Amino acid sequence: MTNDKTEALTPDTIAPEAITPEALAGLGGGHIAYVRTIRSEDVASMFPQAPQIAPGMTLFTLHAADGTPILLTDSREAALANAIQNELETVSVH
């Protein structure tokens, strides 16, 4: 039974600041990810175990829905291929 007065939860009805990291982590049951472009200067903060990388490079990261970095690579295609290989659905984040 549904209540006609209940509003559906959509991106238009939820304020972005109301979405917690915990809520994002639960999106898609852990099967949603996104690719982000970063500068090599930012690698150490996201991937402390990564070796030193020359400054000024554009790199790509694959992130879980909650923002947890999963992968660092030098091409968007490699990040997307890794997502597919691990059965993650990528979404566009603006």
Side-chain angles (χ1 to χ4, degrees):
M1 178 179 224
T2 62
N3 181 347
D4 291 336
K5 294 183 180 185
T6 302
E7 187 174 345
L9 297 178
T10 68
D12 295 329
T13 61
I14 300 174
E17 59 275 3
I19 300 173
T20 65
E22 293 79 18
L24 285 174
L27 284 176
H31 294 283
I32 295 180
Y34 63 93
V35 175
R36 182 175 156 202
T37 304
I38 67 166
R39 302 294 301 166
S40 54
E41 293 84 356
D42 300 323
V43 169
S45 65
M46 290 180 161
F47 298 91
Q49 72 282 13
Q52 186 70 25
I53 299 176
M57 295 178 62
T58 299
L59 301 169
F60 299 86
T61 57
L62 179 66
H63 293 263
D66 68 352
T68 302
I70 298 170
L71 171 84
L72 173 68
T73 183
D74 63 351
S75 77
R76 179 174 174 76
E77 292 76 18
L80 292 171
N82 185 276
I84 291 167
Q85 180 181 1
N86 288 290
E87 299 179 0
L88 298 170
E89 183 167 341
T90 55
V91 295
S92 179
V93 179
H94 299 278

